[in-house]
Amino acid sequence: MSAIRKQLSAKFIKSRIKPLDFYSHELPDAKLKHGVWVDGGLCPFHDDHSRGSFKVNLVTGAYRCFSCDASGGDIIDFVRASRGLNFIEALQKIADEWGV
């Protein structure tokens, strides 16, 4: 897949899935509220026992843990990191799971 096609596919997928919907599904224990950077609950990237250090951006889909320093710029990065996938695999996984 060419770089342009990858970019268009990523843009298309992100235009179809709202970060609030995505993180509500991926982080069911998080009490997500409307806003920009919100509490994402326990960090899925380390053995987290206390809330507050993992934040998600409900506008861009970015995420960041201030304890283990896991971070990414969008929902595709989250799927890549949380499931150990490459970019193309993550796009396919999201497209399959979300019917995009």
Side-chain angles (χ1 to χ4, degrees):
M1 187 179 270
S2 72
I4 293 172
R5 174 130 179 154
K6 284 187 217 175
Q7 196 172 47
L8 292 174
S9 296
K11 285 181 182 180
F12 179 77
I13 286 172
K14 290 188 294 184
S15 74
R16 297 291 191 257
I17 303 169
K18 295 178 183 172
L20 177 59
D21 296 337
F22 176 81
Y23 284 118
S24 293
H25 178 270
E26 292 291 320
L27 307 169
D29 295 331
K31 295 173 176 60
L32 301 174
K33 299 178 181 177
H34 293 280
V36 181
W37 282 98
V38 299
D39 180 9
L42 298 176
C43 177
F45 299 103
H46 74 278
D47 189 21
D48 199 359
H49 297 287
S50 58
R51 300 174 69 92
S53 62
F54 187 69
K55 306 289 184 190
V56 294
N57 185 310
L58 299 181
V59 174
T60 66
Y63 65 91
R64 169 113 196 230
C65 178
F66 292 93
S67 291
C68 74
D69 209 30
S71 63
D74 57 31
I75 63 173
I76 298 165
D77 287 341
F78 182 89
V79 171
R80 288 179 69 189
S82 65
R83 299 183 189 175
L85 303 174
N86 67 37
F87 181 80
I88 300 299
E89 293 168 334
L91 287 179
Q92 187 63 52
K93 187 74 165 169
I94 294 168
D96 291 346
E97 289 182 0
W98 289 83
V100 181

